[in-house]
């Protein structure tokens, strides 16, 4: 009997491994934290490995793993604060000349490296469940931020129904509830997302020629400290936010004033930017010249690009993200 259990667990490690990236995407959307998501995936695999001998194939392995991951996330999120961005705190836009107010106690939303989490160069097959679960649209920063307006249970139902495309009866079984309760939670979740004003703008993909051309101009603007050129790349209603600071700023001119007032750079050469990808969007690691003359990690910028303009910039000052995104210690 013991040998049979060990054999089945060895089989599990081989069969379940390929689902890791889609489970990571799912746990990230649930938690809003790449660090938490990695821990949640580890816990999912541990629970699944222990229970694999009793799995019995009553559903697909993918469905079974996602069911475990969802319940691991729900347990972990009990009593935890939501992970907002500054625009999600409910305050109006800030004056760009006011002092910056840091809120280090807030568990802020985190970005996730990469595009569709695969980064293997293969085109996504729209009929492949893994491609659906890890699609750019489903990990877009604005969408993950909007999920933070939902309770953990609403979040789970919305993701299982609208992203994983499960039937209501499957969701009800996974969450040990009724189909009527699932439909009610889904209706409320969709309504709250609509109130959060999540738009379905056609964001430019990072690999597109349009995005790459804009990123080159963006890099040049910062490295030359040409704030006017940066302002020209923003739409008139562009938004800039930068956790852990609670303020957020609307409008190209206001953002230009913010940079002039608060950026520690004083001229060309003080900043170096290296392109990367976050949440399926163009992103840049910005390095600032220090007193030692070297450039050090300073902030990670994630851009929402529509057409040839930037409509939203989310700036993360957690420099530990640089290693996570494969960015070097010095440019």
């Amino acid at each position: 009997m013991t040998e049979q259990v060990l054999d089945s667990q060895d089989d599990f490690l081989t069969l379940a491994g390929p689902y890791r990236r889609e489970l990571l995407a799912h746990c990230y959307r649930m938690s809003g934290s790449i660090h938490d998501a990695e821990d949640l995936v580890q816990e999912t695999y541990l629970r699944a490995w222990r229970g694999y001998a009793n799995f019995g194939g009553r559903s697909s392995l993918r469905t079974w793993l996602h069911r475990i991951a969802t319940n691991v996330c729900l347990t972990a999120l009990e009593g935890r604060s939501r992970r907002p961005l500054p625009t999600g705190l409910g305050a109006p836009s800030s004056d760009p000349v006011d002092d910056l107010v840091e809120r280090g106690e807030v568990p802020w939303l985190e970005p996730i490296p990469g595009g569709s989490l695969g980064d293997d160069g293969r085109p996504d097959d729209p009929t492949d469940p893994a491609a659906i679960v890890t699609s750019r649209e489903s990990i877009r920063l604005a969408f993950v931020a909007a999920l933070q307006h939902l309770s953990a249970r609403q979040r789970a139902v919305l993701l299982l129904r609208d992203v994983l495309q499960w039937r209501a009866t499957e969701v009800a079984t996974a969450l040990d509830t009724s189909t009527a309760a699932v439909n009610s939670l889904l209706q409320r979740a969709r309504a709250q997302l609509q109130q959060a004003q999540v738009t379905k703008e056609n964001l430019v993909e990072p690999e597109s020629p349009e995005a790459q051309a804009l990123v080159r101009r963006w890099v040049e603007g910062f490295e030359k400290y040409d704030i006017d050129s940066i302002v020209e790349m923003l739409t008139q209603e562009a938004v800039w936010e930068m956790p852990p600071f609670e303020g957020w700023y609307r409008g190209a001119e206001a953002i230009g004033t913010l940079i002039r007032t608060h950026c520690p750079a004083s001229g060309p050469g003080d900043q170096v930017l290296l392109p990367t990808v976050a949440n399926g969007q163009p992103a840049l690691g910005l390095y600032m010249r220090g007193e030692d003359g070297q450039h050090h990690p300073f902030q990670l910028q994630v851009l929402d690009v529509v057409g040839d303009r930037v409509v939203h910039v989310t700036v993360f000052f957690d420099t530990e993200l640089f290693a996570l995104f494969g960015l070097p210690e010095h440019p």
Side-chain angles (χ1 to χ4, degrees), residues 177-207:
T177 188
S178 67
T179 303
V182 165
N183 291 332
S184 177
L185 285 165
L186 180 63
Q187 184 178 15
R188 293 201 302 272
R190 286 173 174 168
Q192 285 192 254
L193 274 193
Q194 190 171 14
Q195 288 180 0
Q197 298 181 335
V198 181
T199 63
K200 295 202 175 201
E201 295 172 302
N202 293 320
L203 294 189
V204 174
E205 295 187 2
E207 300 85 359

Side-chain angles (χ1 to χ4, degrees), residues 29 132-140 143-144 147 163:
R29 283 187 295 263
I132 295 170
V133 175
T134 58
S135 67
R136 293 184 191 279
E137 186 66 29
S138 73
I139 60 165
R140 182 180 158 190
F143 177 68
V144 179
L147 290 175
V163 177

Side-chain angles (χ1 to χ4, degrees), residues 31-295:
S31 67
S33 164
I34 179 57
H35 296 96
D36 288 353
E38 289 173 339
D39 291 341
L40 292 165
V41 170
Q42 287 295 102
E43 177 65 19
T44 296
Y45 271 96
L46 180 59
R47 290 192 190 182
W49 179 77
R50 286 173 174 167
Y52 184 61
N54 299 319
F55 167 46
R58 289 180 295 276
S59 65
S60 72
L61 182 59
R62 168 183 275 116
T63 298
W64 186 63
L65 289 170
H66 276 286
R67 182 183 303 152
I68 294 172
T70 300
N71 284 285
V72 165
C73 290
L74 288 173
T75 300
L77 291 171
E78 287 179 4
R80 286 196 189 181
S81 300
R82 301 172 187 180
R83 287 185 171 271
L85 288 174
T87 48
L89 295 180
S93 59
S94 304
D95 189 323
V97 300
D98 287 347
D99 291 339
L100 303 179
V101 178
E102 186 172 351
R103 294 279 301 277
E105 80 281 4
V106 175
W108 297 102
L109 183 70
E110 297 174 353
I112 190 169
S116 59
L117 293 175
D119 300 318
D120 52 13
R122 294 176 300 173
D124 284 340
D125 178 357
T127 65
D128 178 6
I132 295 170
V133 175
T134 58
S135 67
R136 293 184 191 279
E137 186 66 29
S138 73
I139 60 165
R140 182 180 158 190
L141 198 58
F143 177 68
V144 179
L147 290 175
Q148 297 299 308
H149 292 272
L150 309 179
S151 70
R153 205 160 177 83
Q154 287 176 328
R155 221 175 295 172
V157 168
L158 182 86
L159 293 174
L160 293 174
R161 288 284 283 120
D162 287 357
V163 177
L164 273 67
Q165 300 182 359
W166 286 15
R167 295 188 297 272
T169 52
E170 293 176 305
V171 178
T173 299
L175 301 183
D176 193 22
T177 188
S178 67
T179 303
V182 165
N183 291 332
S184 177
L185 285 165
L186 180 63
Q187 184 178 15
R188 293 201 302 272
R190 286 173 174 168
Q192 285 192 254
L193 274 193
Q194 190 171 14
Q195 288 180 0
Q197 298 181 335
V198 181
T199 63
K200 295 202 175 201
E201 295 172 302
N202 293 320
L203 294 189
V204 174
E205 295 187 2
E207 300 85 359
S208 70
E210 296 86 356
Q212 292 182 8
L214 185 139
V215 166
R216 286 193 295 270
R217 290 167 50 214
W218 188 265
V219 170
E220 183 179 6
F222 274 91
E223 293 187 346
K224 290 185 175 180
Y225 200 62
D226 184 352
I227 298 174
D228 288 339
S229 73
I230 296 169
V231 169
E232 288 177 1
M233 286 181 271
L234 298 164
T235 63
Q236 285 304 307
E237 292 299 310
V239 169
W240 182 288
E241 54 187 332
M242 45 186 191
F245 301 102
E246 67 177 8
W248 63 277
Y249 309 86
R250 183 185 294 280
E253 293 302 324
I255 293 169
T257 300
L258 174 75
I259 296 172
R260 290 186 180 94
T261 304
H262 295 289
C263 179
S266 57
D270 282 350
Q271 302 172 100
V272 174
L273 285 77
L274 296 182
T276 184
V277 176
N279 295 74
Q281 301 168 221
L284 301 110
L286 188 152
Y287 298 78
M288 189 71 66
R289 179 151 46 199
E291 294 181 359
D292 60 0
Q294 289 200 68
H295 290 85

